[in-house]
Amino acid sequence: MRPLLLVAVLTLPASLLPAPRLAAQQRAITFEDFLGLPVVSDPQLSPDGKWVAYTVMTASLKDNRGTGRIWLANVATGASRQMTQGPGSDRSPRWSPDGATLAFLSSRQGGSQIWVLPLAGGEARKVSSIDDGVGELYWKPDGQGFLAVVDTKWPADQEIDRRNGSYPTEARIWTELLWRHWVEWRAGMRQHVFSVNLADGAATDLTPVDHDVPTIATGGDGDVAIAPDGREIAVAMHGDDIVATNTNVDVFTLAATGGAMHNVTAANQGADNTPRYSPDGKWLSWLSMARAGFEADRQRLMLQPRSGGAPTEATAGWDRSVGSYLWCPDAKCVYVVVEERCRDNIYRIDLPGFKRTAVVAGAGVNTSPSVSTDGKALAYLHQSNTHPAEVWVNGRALTHHTDAGIASLDLHPLEEFGFVGAMGDSVFGWVLKPPGYTAGKRYPLVYLLHGGPQTAWADNWHARWNYQMFASRGYVVAAVNRHGSTGFGQAFTDAVSQHWGDSPYEDLMKGLDVVTQLPYVDSTHMCAAGASYGGFMIYWIAGHTNRFTCLIAHDGVFNTVSMGGSTEELWFPDWEFGGTLYANRDGWEKWSPVNFVKNWKTPILIVHSQLDYRVDLSEGYQAFTAARQMGVPAKFLYFPDEGHWILKPRNRRLWWGVVLDWLDQYLKS
């Protein structure tokens, strides 16, 4: 019988929230505050439910990196202690099946390797010594070893070595698409699943095939699973010869010792990922998108009896996507994380009837669930726009790593507003008052545009585009979840495809109309900022309205035609623009900001990075050239060592400094 505390919705009781503070004691957040807040992640309940292991990352300007440490918290008392230290960084704590040992990944010696720490006492011991390091680890059910996801050199093309001999160069040769991905060069590399012995660290490649196993593209929340009896493995793999032009990832099974791979989901041409075995071994489950070529389709939870039979959708009739999930220990239910109206809630789906019950819902974002073997304890990460992520268990905060860091900060909550947008649909957004807000005073506006295009502005503590940081210098912040946003039903999400510049733009302008009617917003001083698709929309706005005082575009698409030849996951633009560039050029040209540069007048800050392989650096170059040729005031911020996001502490400090100074230049004059 399941405890009643997991049947009732676990909201955030007022008694668990920080007590109100006097405004005089509060101040605006600074970058030093922002960077100094520890990042809590990856909670893992011990099998007996008495402990939670998790990762705490702290950033250092001196070292220009983040360092992770494994912590342990007592569920009953909340007392916590740091379990790892020393050189390198530690992450991914994982309990052994008997709960006596904690495995984790550490870069302290020989790259990212598997280490184990006995909870009874003693020093951590290094297990693996794999040349290219370990990316993920999974305990085997018998506790005698691991499955490890490893990047390994694939000897498909040795032409450079053959030609250069003993005089190596930095040159590269490739013959297939998807030779680079996000910030990685993938030519000559494959991701494979290895078996690693606990006793001696011996490692064996279980998937020596010319594919990434698990997939590196359109993957899920952990794409390796092992059956409870330890005899079978399930992985998500893109088995096609060309992987850059489609999303046909499938779930494959193979013996735990390696060998032939069986395609379980061959009938579905969309992306299938995140395989899991039920604890009783009777079911194989996975997440599935039905439409081929669409990476933002509704993600369904599928269950298939291992004894035979067709798969069944456990989320049929539910117009929401499952982001992640885990089985209940008794195999009679599944916990799923679902995005709903800018919040992530945790539901329980009972078997066999598939009844859905919200167990963790309300304000903020709730993710990364972990459950004890008796089903009595449910741990997860909870965060909101006023509080960074902490570990919660059964509806109460367990950890408090960031409490002291935000105690003196004036952090207003997001306020939701709605309006009738494009096509008569309801559209919702957020507005945030600045620190030190005084009624009767009017404040300049920063208008944030999210990327994706299929994502959403959530009630979270954003690690990069943080609402409170944008507000910190005395600005009202507004963010609209326009057509294409997730969490409002699949039809609303679908609406942006092949409509990049019409319905979403109409929503944003109508949302701006609503926000500028607020008595505390100064509509004569407004700046819009966005990244990725949001950067595209900044370029689009530049050619279609002069309502803003300034603009900020980060890694945005400026020329859809050139982007189509330089991005890596080609299924994305092919879907978004209705076919390949060569078959439907008109569909690509229709939404290209380059065609409207003649209308540009608004000063613009452009940020772009060398290692951005999703939206190539050349997009930023072209936009800056266009702005200056049109006589528009422009500034270019270039990062040679970053990708689609700015992650290094020193670069993050520079980014925020330049961005906030640009806002001040135009909004405080």
Side-chain angles (χ1 to χ4, degrees):
M1 191 174 227
R2 297 179 193 88
L4 292 177
L5 59 87
L6 294 184
V7 176
V9 177
L10 301 178
T11 56
L12 310 184
S15 61
L16 296 180
L17 297 177
R21 299 180 297 271
L22 296 177
Q25 298 174 325
Q26 299 173 336
R27 59 178 176 81
I29 189 172
T30 66
F31 177 77
E32 288 69 27
D33 297 320
F34 183 57
L35 187 70
L37 290 168
V39 178
V40 178
S41 65
D42 201 8
Q44 300 289 322
L45 266 168
S46 61
D48 61 10
K50 295 180 179 180
W51 303 92
V52 177
Y54 57 99
T55 301
V56 178
M57 192 278 288
T58 56
S60 167
L61 283 171
K62 179 182 178 181
D63 299 330
N64 200 26
R65 66 182 178 89
T67 299
R69 296 297 180 218
I70 308 302
W71 283 66
L72 199 64
N74 185 299
V75 171
T77 67
S80 61
R81 66 182 189 271
Q82 183 176 318
M83 300 296 291
T84 63
Q85 58 186 355
S89 188
D90 312 312
R91 63 182 178 89
S92 302
R94 298 294 182 265
W95 293 96
S96 61
D98 62 5
T101 304
L102 198 60
F104 59 96
L105 296 179
S106 178
S107 61
R108 65 184 66 181
Q109 186 183 112
S112 178
Q113 302 292 345
I114 301 173
W115 289 67
V116 292
L117 180 66
L119 270 295
E123 296 296 321
R125 175 176 69 87
K126 182 183 177 185
V127 175
S128 67
S129 298
I130 299 173
D131 288 344
D132 294 295
V134 176
E136 302 171 29
L137 79 152
Y138 303 83
W139 278 96
K140 292 183 178 180
D142 61 7
Q144 299 304 304
F146 306 91
L147 297 182
V149 177
V150 175
D151 254 357
T152 184
K153 294 180 177 64
W154 186 252
D157 189 346
Q158 303 294 335
E159 183 175 348
I160 291 178
D161 292 341
R162 186 175 68 249
R163 293 179 184 276
N164 285 347
S166 58
Y167 299 95
T169 74
E170 295 298 316
R172 294 182 174 95
I173 294 176
W174 59 86
T175 59
E176 300 294 340
L177 294 172
L178 210 68
W179 69 91
R180 59 181 189 171
H181 188 248
W182 283 107
V183 297
E184 296 180 296
W185 285 88
R186 299 299 303 175
M189 298 295 294
R190 287 290 180 264
Q191 181 171 264
H192 284 171
V193 178
F194 279 61
S195 175
V196 180
N197 291 338
L198 175 62
D200 59 8
T204 305
D205 189 348
L206 300 178
T207 58
V209 295
D210 191 12
H211 294 283
D212 286 305
V213 188
T215 181
I216 63 165
T218 59
D221 180 35
D223 286 324
V224 178
I226 186 166
D229 62 8
R231 297 180 180 179
E232 183 178 275
I233 297 170
V235 297
M237 182 182 80
H238 200 312
D240 289 12
D241 292 335
I242 299 177
V243 301
T245 58
N246 66 86
T247 61
N248 189 26
V249 174
D250 285 304
V251 172
F252 289 77
T253 57
L254 66 155
T257 54
M261 302 178 69
H262 169 64
N263 191 336
V264 178
T265 61
N268 182 48
Q269 297 301 300
D272 300 294
N273 55 51
T274 320
R276 300 281 189 271
Y277 290 93
S278 61
D280 60 6
K282 295 180 179 180
W283 298 89
L284 176 62
S285 57
W286 62 89
L287 299 180
S288 177
M289 299 182 188
R291 285 177 283 183
F294 187 26
E295 66 178 20
D297 200 7
R298 186 174 74 89
Q299 196 150 250
R300 309 165 296 163
L301 174 61
M302 310 298 293
L303 308 178
Q304 180 169 295
R306 294 183 68 201
S307 59
T312 300
E313 182 186 347
T315 51
W318 199 11
D319 194 21
R320 296 291 185 268
S321 280
V322 175
S324 62
Y325 74 102
L326 78 162
W327 280 87
C328 298
D330 60 6
K332 295 181 180 179
C333 65
V334 180
Y335 289 110
V336 299
V337 177
V338 175
E339 182 184 11
E340 295 183 300
R341 287 181 59 123
C342 317
R343 299 171 176 89
D344 280 22
N345 298 322
I346 301 174
Y347 281 78
R348 191 189 68 235
I349 300 177
D350 292 317
L351 273 62
F354 303 144
K355 176 186 176 182
R356 299 188 294 268
T357 305
V359 295
V360 182
V365 168
N366 306 287
T367 56
S368 305
S370 176
V371 64
S372 59
T373 52
D374 62 5
K376 294 181 179 180
L378 181 69
Y380 52 93
L381 287 179
H382 172 77
Q383 62 178 299
S384 71
N385 71 95
T386 59
H387 203 299
E390 295 283 0
V391 179
W392 286 55
V393 175
N394 293 348
R396 64 179 177 88
L398 181 68
T399 66
H400 301 275
H401 291 273
T402 61
D403 290 4
I406 65 171
S408 63
L409 303 180
D410 186 5
L411 305 174
H412 287 263
L414 291 173
E415 300 175 35
E416 190 173 22
F417 67 95
F419 58 94
V420 178
M423 299 180 286
D425 290 337
S426 296
V427 178
F428 296 89
W430 300 110
V431 66
L432 174 70
K433 293 185 177 76
Y437 170 78
T438 302
K441 184 177 177 180
R442 298 173 70 207
Y443 297 87
L445 175 70
V446 179
Y447 200 50
L448 300 182
L449 318 178
H450 74 68
Q454 296 92 356
T455 56
W457 291 117
D459 180 13
N460 65 354
W461 185 267
H462 204 294
R464 297 179 304 278
W465 283 59
N466 186 275
Y467 308 111
Q468 305 290 349
M469 282 294 294
F470 276 106
S472 65
R473 294 197 181 174
Y475 303 125
V476 171
V477 176
V480 167
N481 283 311
R482 41 78 187 157
H483 278 83
S485 299
T486 52
F488 298 89
Q490 192 60 43
F492 195 82
T493 301
D494 289 350
V496 68
S497 300
Q498 301 184 48
H499 292 277
W500 274 33
D502 55 11
S503 298
Y505 175 74
E506 182 180 343
D507 290 340
L508 292 170
M509 292 302 101
K510 287 183 174 180
L512 188 63
D513 291 339
V514 174
V515 172
T516 54
Q517 294 303 309
L518 296 172
Y520 52 86
V521 171
D522 177 4
S523 62
T524 66
H525 289 80
M526 305 188 299
C527 185
S532 197
Y533 172 88
F536 157 87
M537 185 54 72
I538 291 296
Y539 296 142
W540 189 259
I541 282 173
H544 289 80
T545 183
N546 296 316
R547 297 180 68 177
F548 294 98
T549 313
C550 65
L551 301 170
I552 301 171
H554 177 109
D555 290 3
V557 179
F558 170 74
N559 183 339
T560 54
V561 172
S562 60
M563 192 264 193
S566 57
T567 194
E568 13 79 293
E569 293 181 349
L570 296 178
W571 64 78
F572 168 71
D574 289 353
W575 179 275
E576 293 301 310
F577 300 126
T580 67
L581 170 63
Y582 318 106
N584 184 31
R585 186 172 182 121
D586 288 346
W588 289 64
E589 289 277 13
K590 183 176 182 180
W591 306 118
S592 189
V594 69
N595 296 326
F596 301 93
V597 168
K598 63 181 181 295
N599 300 326
W600 282 26
K601 293 182 175 64
T602 308
I604 186 168
L605 169 64
I606 296 169
V607 185
H608 224 111
S609 302
Q610 185 70 53
L611 305 181
D612 186 355
Y613 303 151
R614 178 56 40 85
V615 181
D616 191 75
L617 172 63
S618 59
E619 295 297 304
Y621 285 164
Q622 292 179 71
F624 179 77
T625 300
R628 295 307 296 132
Q629 285 194 313
M630 292 301 298
V632 173
K635 180 182 287 187
F636 197 108
L637 176 57
Y638 164 77
F639 292 98
D641 55 348
E642 297 283 9
H644 203 55
W645 306 293
I646 307 304
L647 301 178
K648 296 182 178 180
R650 296 178 191 175
N651 289 338
R652 293 173 68 190
R653 180 173 66 170
L654 177 62
W655 189 94
W656 277 111
V658 172
V659 165
L660 293 177
D661 286 350
W662 182 262
L663 294 175
D664 288 351
Q665 178 180 344
Y666 288 96
L667 297 185
K668 293 186 175 181
S669 58

